[in-house]
Amino acid sequence: MLLPPLEFINEDPDAPVDEVLRTGGRRTAIRSAHGVSHVTSLLIADFDPDPVYEVSHSSFRELSPGEREPLAEAVSRHHDLDEALEEMRRVHFDPPFSSAPPD
């Protein structure tokens, strides 16, 4: 499946991802569709001795302002930045659950 590019909400969107991460920053993407929000972040979690990239994803339904129903959470670690970015894109646009409203 061909997925669209991620749109990051923080940091300089034109800055190289590895530079942002190595200086303690993170890349975060947010999208909402059909009452479900998806938040996916990428950061350097550790050095082993090379960077270990962590992708975290959370999906939830907003029931009312400030009240959320969690739908999915996932965390994965990668030693390769390109692999981490691909996983970030995959889990952000194709989360591991159906976002269709319940019957």
Side-chain angles (χ1 to χ4, degrees):
M1 173 164 65
L2 187 59
L3 299 173
L6 291 166
E7 293 183 24
F8 299 116
I9 64 163
N10 55 350
E11 308 287 343
D12 177 358
D14 297 323
V17 173
D18 60 335
E19 180 180 306
V20 171
L21 299 176
R22 284 185 180 276
T23 58
R26 70 176 52 219
R27 287 295 200 196
T28 302
I30 296 177
R31 73 179 180 91
S32 293
H34 309 290
V36 176
S37 297
H38 307 275
V39 180
T40 310
S41 294
L42 172 66
L43 55 83
I44 293 178
D46 199 4
F47 289 90
D48 182 27
D50 297 320
V52 177
Y53 302 99
E54 182 174 284
V55 175
S56 61
H57 174 81
S58 177
S59 296
F60 56 88
R61 185 173 286 125
E62 192 89 26
L63 301 174
S64 63
E67 186 181 356
R68 297 176 175 172
E69 173 189 8
L71 300 174
E73 297 213 8
V75 175
S76 60
R77 289 189 168 198
H78 309 268
H79 289 277
D80 179 77
L81 179 57
D82 290 335
E83 180 183 295
L85 285 166
E86 186 56 35
E87 175 66 6
M88 184 179 189
R89 184 177 294 109
R90 186 195 65 73
V91 75
H92 189 69
F93 290 108
D94 188 21
F97 70 95
S98 170
S99 62
D103 293 330

